[in-house]
Amino acid sequence: MKNKSFIGIAFIVYALALAVGPYTLYQGCEKGDMLMACHKSLSILLGLGILVGIIGILVIITKLKNVILISNIIGLVAGVFAILIPSVIVGGCKMETMPCRTTTFPVIYVVSGIFIVINLVSIFFQLKQFKGSK
Amino acid sequence: MKKEGALKIAYYNATCRVFRSAMMMFFVFMMSFTTYTFSYISYGTQNGMESLSKRLGADIAVVPGRYTYLVENALFRGEPCTIYFESEWIQKIKLIEGIEQVTPQLFIATLNGADCCMGQSVQLIGFDPVTDFVVRPWIEENYAGELKDGYVYIGNSIAYEKGDTVTYFGTEFKVTGKLEKTGMGYDKSIFIKMDDAYRLANSKYGKNYLAFSSDGNLISTIVAKTKKNADTADIVKEIEEKYGAYDVAAISTDTFMKTISQSINKFSNISNITIVLNIITSMVALISLFSITINERKKEFGILFSIGADRGLIFRTILCEAFMITGIGTLSGSAFAQIILYFFQTLIHESLDIPYLSISIRQNLKVIGMVSAISLLTGIISAVHSTYRICSAEACELIKEG
């Protein structure tokens, strides 16, 4: 129960970091007439953040068996994608001094890294528990 | 009992009391993180300062008086500016006693997000390949041969690569090469030949957007080298006395360097104070935590003594525990600091407002060594302090007190 709440909260915090943070705390580049690559990346991350947030709520409210393990696997994939979207798949502004490259993306990389580690540790303990119960 | 026994007991002690161990690790983590981060940035600013003194290459810069701050901002922070004055000043400055060599430079800021200019606004620096003694030696360190017409060298922070075509004021240029990182405004500048700068200013867009006429008689700054035994301060004074009334100002690079050096010293002092305060706080916290824990475990040690464990084993056990906790704390703190510094290095550079250049592997190893030594020493001092109190008591006394 305690683990479920922790994982659920971690998912919701990460969802906020992806969906709300880039528009409030660590804002990206200003939107002009042109749609820049960083805006596309942030839009996709917003969608990903909403998805992660929904999973976080589901983890807290549902009583399904293995819900933590399944959500951890999804979280792991989401974390990897959150890093790959701004760095490889879509990218950001070319100039390294632009706000997206100095602040927004680095925060997303660090937060995603921490989220991946949390999921990996949780998967490890879930599998250990799973083996133990067998 | 063997030495391995101490390690095993220490391991069980640490893993059985996860919260206590995690708290102690957290203090070491914070100490390593702060020490590593501040030391790293201090080294970075020193590197930036060295790079700056290497790259300025001139003793005096003569600029239009009211725009001195713009030149400083362009050189140190890479904030683009367009300034100009008459090129006839070159001859006048050349005639001043003590001046050995002069060369003009032209600063043009490109337009941000305009149709005629690519990307974000950058600083174009036009230099005269015939007389230049500032930019050329630096370029020649990386690239051989003359810069051809229509070609440019770009600063390290600009995203384009060799072979790319860049367009400014509707004029296309080919990128010949990317210059090495300097930690100053040059990283966000593009270097072009003076003739190309005039060609660009003469273009349709240049005429529309640039405020100056482009007949080749305008420059932004005259950089000068003084003769070996000449007094730079006297020459600066002479230029200001002679031509100050015509809105011409002279800046000595020594004064430039002094100002920057003072800012770096201020930063170093603040960072040293922070490191020392952090070490003291962490040390006090660790000693307290160790003392409280050891106090709680008096009975355990008393029993160990009574069943034949010697004082050496107890000392080794506590020391191993301290090593484990400080070791993991130091490693994780340094690694996390390295990750943060790697991802946020541009932000740190931009926020510092002083030249900053990332540190070398050798310097990095030095910082890691220093952080590890401080953390392990803190752990050992905490452990020795606690062990001394336990080892000096009798077994029955410890069992009674526990």
Side-chain angles (χ1 to χ4, degrees):
Chain A
M1 191 63 202
K2 222 173 161 184
N3 282 351
K4 236 174 81 162
S5 303
F6 175 75
I7 294 296
I9 291 166
F11 268 68
I12 292 166
V13 171
Y14 183 58
L16 291 173
L18 290 185
V20 184
Y23 303 95
T24 51
L25 284 176
Y26 33 94
Q27 289 183 3
C29 305
E30 273 178 35
K31 268 189 182 168
D33 297 334
M34 278 195 307
L35 182 67
M36 293 189 284
C38 66
H39 295 138
K40 284 184 207 167
S41 288
L42 291 180
S43 302
I44 300 171
L45 289 176
L46 173 73
L48 192 68
I50 293 168
L51 188 79
V52 172
I54 293 168
I55 295 169
I57 295 166
L58 283 176
V59 170
I60 295 172
I61 58 169
T62 55
K63 285 174 183 169
L64 280 170
K65 212 181 160 189
N66 292 334
V67 68
I68 300 180
L69 186 64
I70 295 163
S71 61
N72 281 149
I73 294 166
I74 298 171
L76 194 68
V77 176
V80 172
F81 266 98
I83 293 174
L84 290 178
I85 288 163
S87 61
V88 182
I89 301 170
V90 181
C93 290
K94 281 208 154 190
M95 191 91 165
E96 67 175 36
T97 48
M98 292 293 273
C100 67
R101 289 192 56 185
T102 57
T103 318
T104 319
F105 292 163
V107 172
I108 286 168
Y109 297 147
V110 173
V111 175
S112 300
I114 295 169
F115 187 66
I116 289 170
V117 172
I118 290 173
N119 279 296
L120 280 174
V121 172
S122 180
I123 289 172
F124 171 76
F125 283 112
Q126 292 298 312
L127 290 176
K128 210 174 158 186
Q129 209 177 28
F130 189 66
K131 268 183 192 169
S133 65
K134 261 186 172 180
Chain B
M1 279 194 212
K2 289 179 195 171
K3 268 189 184 178
E4 291 84 50
L7 194 66
K8 235 177 190 176
I9 296 169
Y11 173 75
Y12 286 131
N13 281 338
T15 48
C16 283
R17 293 170 185 245
V18 180
F19 184 72
R20 177 181 62 87
S21 306
M23 279 309 290
M24 287 164 114
M25 266 178 217
F26 177 72
F27 280 111
V28 183
F29 173 91
M30 285 309 290
M31 184 173 73
S32 318
F33 181 82
T34 319
T35 314
Y36 187 95
T37 308
F38 278 99
S39 310
Y40 189 102
I41 298 174
S42 281
Y43 268 118
T45 54
Q46 279 165 25
N47 287 352
M49 182 78 184
E50 272 168 32
S51 163
L52 182 72
S53 69
K54 209 168 128 191
R55 291 289 157 242
L56 277 178
D59 300 312
I60 296 169
V62 181
V63 293
R66 69 205 120 133
Y67 298 129
T68 315
Y69 72 99
L70 288 179
V71 176
E72 285 180 9
N73 287 349
L75 280 176
F76 298 134
R77 297 175 194 102
E79 286 172 15
C81 67
T82 303
I83 53 164
Y84 54 91
F85 65 157
E86 300 294 319
S87 62
E88 64 189 45
W89 289 105
I90 300 174
Q91 292 309 320
K92 289 179 183 164
I93 299 299
K94 221 184 214 175
L95 290 174
I96 287 176
E97 216 187 300
I99 296 280
E100 190 188 349
Q101 220 177 338
V102 291
T103 186
Q105 283 184 348
L106 183 61
F107 286 23
I108 300 172
T110 68
L111 304 176
N112 203 3
D115 290 342
C116 64
C117 295
M118 284 171 83
Q120 212 189 4
S121 176
V122 291
Q123 181 72 66
L124 295 181
I125 300 180
F127 66 96
D128 181 1
V130 182
T131 58
D132 180 78
F133 57 90
V134 179
V135 182
R136 265 185 66 191
W138 174 39
I139 290 173
E140 279 165 6
E141 281 176 21
N142 299 290
Y143 300 100
E146 288 289 313
L147 182 65
K148 289 183 221 154
D149 287 340
Y151 281 80
V152 295
Y153 284 109
I154 59 166
N156 202 280
S157 296
I158 295 175
Y160 302 105
E161 298 297 332
K162 189 181 173 180
D164 284 351
T165 303
V166 289
T167 308
Y168 294 111
F169 297 100
T171 313
E172 284 188 355
F173 295 98
K174 261 240 161 359
V175 177
T176 307
K178 204 168 195 167
L179 299 165
E180 64 170 17
K181 210 165 178 81
T182 60
M184 54 190 274
Y186 279 175
D187 290 339
K188 290 184 235 167
S189 305
I190 293 183
F191 297 89
I192 58 174
K193 280 168 81 172
M194 200 64 120
D195 292 343
D196 276 338
Y198 289 134
R199 185 162 65 88
L200 175 146
N202 232 346
S203 69
K204 187 179 116 194
Y205 291 104
K207 276 180 178 165
N208 281 345
Y209 293 114
L210 294 171
F212 57 87
S213 64
S214 49
D215 51 3
N217 62 357
L218 291 171
I219 52 169
S220 302
T221 162
I222 302 163
V223 282
K225 199 186 254 181
T226 55
K227 283 178 185 160
K228 225 177 182 182
N229 297 320
D231 188 339
T232 311
D234 284 348
I235 297 171
V236 167
K237 209 173 157 191
E238 195 184 332
I239 294 171
E240 298 226 310
E241 275 172 4
K242 260 187 172 171
Y243 305 121
Y246 299 98
D247 195 29
V248 169
I251 320 159
S252 142
T253 45
D254 286 344
T255 319
F256 255 161
M257 297 298 285
K258 220 179 248 173
T259 318
I260 301 283
S261 161
Q262 277 167 353
S263 306
I264 289 174
N265 283 343
K266 263 185 209 165
F267 176 80
S268 293
N269 289 341
I270 294 169
S271 84
N272 287 340
I273 292 168
T274 315
I275 290 171
V276 170
L277 279 177
N278 204 269
I279 290 171
I280 293 170
T281 319
S282 305
M283 201 178 265
V284 170
L286 278 179
I287 290 174
S288 311
L289 275 171
F290 258 109
S291 301
I292 293 165
T293 329
I294 299 295
N295 225 23
E296 278 175 1
R297 289 161 62 191
K298 271 182 183 170
K299 196 173 181 179
E300 175 192 329
F301 291 120
I303 293 168
L304 278 172
F305 280 148
S306 60
I307 59 169
D310 58 11
R311 290 176 203 286
L313 175 81
I314 302 297
F315 178 73
R316 285 198 302 275
T317 307
I318 299 174
L319 206 63
C320 284
E321 215 176 312
F323 265 120
M324 262 181 220
I325 288 164
T326 47
I328 295 170
T330 308
L331 275 180
S332 51
S334 305
F336 192 63
Q338 178 73 66
I339 290 168
I340 295 291
L341 287 164
Y342 173 76
F343 284 120
F344 293 95
Q345 57 181 330
T346 317
L347 184 69
I348 293 166
H349 181 189
E350 296 284 307
S351 324
L352 280 176
D353 235 14
I354 40 180
Y356 176 87
L357 202 59
S358 293
I359 71 173
S360 62
I361 296 172
R362 212 175 133 199
Q363 286 173 323
N364 206 347
L365 288 174
K366 217 169 148 184
V367 174
I368 292 172
M370 188 188 78
V371 172
S372 307
I374 291 172
S375 305
L376 289 177
L377 202 71
T378 311
I380 292 168
I381 291 171
S382 315
V384 168
H385 173 262
S386 312
T387 323
Y388 176 75
R389 284 174 50 221
I390 288 293
C391 291
S392 55
E394 288 300 319
C396 56
E397 207 179 308
L398 288 171
I399 295 169
K400 243 192 246 170
E401 281 177 21

